[in-house]
């Protein structure tokens, strides 16, 4: 399965997917005027990290050990992104009376609080993160990002940990 695609080509597919997803997010922000909440921004950061790792891996075109290192870094990024998306989905599923209050914006927090406090505050979520402002086929944007994180991560595992053909 998936023997037709080399790791290098897969890395380029990941770069294309991440760039497309980030482009779509920026389109939504600047054309459709859908302001991202802090959790949305963190999910963008993880797609950027995945795309950057895959771009470096594609240019490097490493051997088996390097492929496993890059693959592991991609998996860690995809897992963190999926966890953030999962938290976002959970916040969106809360009843209105259980939604946390809206907090300060991410820029304000980054300028005035230590990074650890910013991370803690953002991951707790806020009212702006619980609002569903976009959906497609009945799924919100965090649900779609979860699908992409899981899909890209799973295919990366399948490609990198498939049996290696030995020369006879």
């Amino acid at each position: 399965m998936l023997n037709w695609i080399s790791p290098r080509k897969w890395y380029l597919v990941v770069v294309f997917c991440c760039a497309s997803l980030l482009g779509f997010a920026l389109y939504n922000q600047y054309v459709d005027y859908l302001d991202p909440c802090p959790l949305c921004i963190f999910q963008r950061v993880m797609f950027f990290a995945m795309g950057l790792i895959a771009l470096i891996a594609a240019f490097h075109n490493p051997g088996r050990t390097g492929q496993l290192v890059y693959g592991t870094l991609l998996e860690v990024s995809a897992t963190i992104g999926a966890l953030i998306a999962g938290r976002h989905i959970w916040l969106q599923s809360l009843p209105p009376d259980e939604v946390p209050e809206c907090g300060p914006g991410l820029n304000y927090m980054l300028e005035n609080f230590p990074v650890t406090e910013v991370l803690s505050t953002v991951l707790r979520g806020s009212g702006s993160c619980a609002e569903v402002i976009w959906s497609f086929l009945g799924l919100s944007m965090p649900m779609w990002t979860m699908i992409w994180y899981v899909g890209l991560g799973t295919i990366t595992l399948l490609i990198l940990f498939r049996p290696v053909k030995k020369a006879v």
Side-chain angles (χ1 to χ4, degrees), residues 88-165:
H88 201 165
I89 293 165
W90 177 78
L91 283 168
Q92 289 182 339
S93 71
L94 289 175
D97 60 326
E98 293 182 26
V99 172
E101 291 183 23
C102 288
L106 185 59
N107 286 337
Y108 177 83
M109 287 190 288
L110 287 170
E111 290 172 2
N112 295 295
F113 301 123
V115 173
T116 54
E117 189 174 334
V118 172
L119 288 173
S120 173
T121 302
V122 169
L123 293 177
R124 274 197 306 269
S126 69
S128 66
C129 294
E131 185 181 355
V132 178
I133 58 173
W134 180 93
S135 67
F136 179 67
L137 298 177
L139 300 176
S140 67
M141 200 169 294
M143 291 177 183
W144 282 107
T145 62
M146 174 71 84
I147 290 168
W148 279 101
Y149 286 125
V150 171
L152 291 172
T154 301
I155 295 172
T156 297
L157 284 176
L158 292 173
I159 288 174
L160 294 177
F161 293 104
R162 64 187 170 199
V164 178
K165 292 181 183 179

Side-chain angles (χ1 to χ4, degrees), residues 28-79:
N28 276 311
Q29 181 176 353
Y30 293 108
V31 175
D32 291 341
Y33 302 106
L34 301 177
D35 287 331
C37 71
L39 286 176
C40 290
I41 294 170
F42 277 27
Q43 289 170 74
R44 289 181 188 185
V45 168
M46 296 320 300
F47 278 125
F48 181 80
M50 289 176 66
L52 183 62
I53 292 164
L55 183 64
I56 293 168
F59 279 119
H60 182 207
N61 196 22
R64 184 76 177 144
T65 302
Q67 289 173 14
L68 295 176
V69 169
Y70 287 120
T72 301
L73 292 172
L74 275 174
E75 285 304 315
V76 168
S77 299
T79 301

